[in-house]
Amino acid sequence: MRRRLRYILILLLSLSIITLWWPVNDSDCNFGDLLVSKTKKFQVNATKVIVQPWRGRHHVYGIFMIPNEYKQAPFFVVTVQGAGSYCSKQFGYKKNFNGIFAEPGTYLVQKFVRTRTALRLIFQGLYFQINDKQNWTLTLPEPNTTTATPN
């Protein structure tokens, strides 16, 4: 009986470790080209960062304030130093969230990082790095302005 319990505990521990360290890439878009290209892009650091993965899902995120002219951008890329880059399509525009109010001419975007990714980084000793809002960067492609000027 003890031997069986020991094997079950080893199996559960192994599955937990695999779950935490298994890379996840469920990106909605191809963002590699945007990050390495020399084309103009808009970048902004997070206004506020919440890192509380022990509270469950959706408790590791950054809040970004973006000018209204970027509402039509097809996607955005959030890069968290040490955690990688994540691409999402835009949806919903908020004017206030978690005690932060958008300035006139801007809106707020909230971008989550997976709880297991955050836990892995915390176990690696990077809690203060991912909790620093200067390490969170949101990148948007410049909006297409096709207004031709007559010669």
Side-chain angles (χ1 to χ4, degrees):
M1 182 67 180
R2 282 184 158 217
R3 179 176 269 178
R4 178 183 279 174
L5 181 61
R6 188 177 307 161
Y7 287 129
I8 290 173
L9 288 175
I10 290 172
L11 176 69
L12 290 175
L13 180 64
S14 300
L15 288 175
S16 299
I17 290 171
I18 289 170
T19 301
L20 279 175
W21 266 264
W22 191 270
V24 175
N25 185 8
D26 58 354
S27 179
D28 294 348
C29 49
N30 182 11
F31 59 88
D33 296 338
L34 174 68
L35 292 178
V36 297
S37 72
K38 298 209 184 284
T39 60
K40 282 183 69 176
K41 48 194 161 264
F42 175 76
Q43 289 188 320
V44 64
N45 285 348
T47 304
K48 184 174 184 176
V49 173
I50 303 295
V51 181
Q52 299 171 344
W54 50 88
R55 293 184 58 204
R57 293 179 63 191
H58 305 303
H59 284 79
V60 180
Y61 58 90
I63 302 172
F64 300 88
M65 196 173 305
I66 302 172
N68 284 339
E69 61 258 22
Y70 291 94
K71 280 185 177 179
Q72 300 305 319
F75 62 91
F76 59 85
V77 179
V78 173
T79 303
V80 181
Q81 211 171 51
S85 297
Y86 307 93
C87 183
S88 294
K89 296 182 188 237
Q90 290 201 56
F91 63 93
Y93 309 107
K94 297 182 180 181
K95 284 295 187 180
N96 63 7
F97 185 79
N98 204 11
I100 296 177
F101 295 90
E103 295 173 358
T106 65
Y107 65 99
L108 299 176
V109 169
Q110 176 186 17
K111 177 57 182 158
F112 297 95
V113 171
R114 288 184 176 276
T115 302
R116 77 169 129 172
T117 302
L119 286 172
R120 177 176 44 91
L121 294 169
I122 289 171
F123 289 144
Q124 292 174 352
L126 300 174
Y127 173 77
F128 294 106
Q129 182 173 339
I130 62 172
N131 201 24
D132 183 3
K133 63 184 181 181
Q134 296 302 316
N135 291 331
W136 290 62
T137 305
L138 183 131
T139 306
L140 288 152
E142 283 290 327
N144 291 337
T145 54
T146 58
T147 56
T149 58
N151 287 338

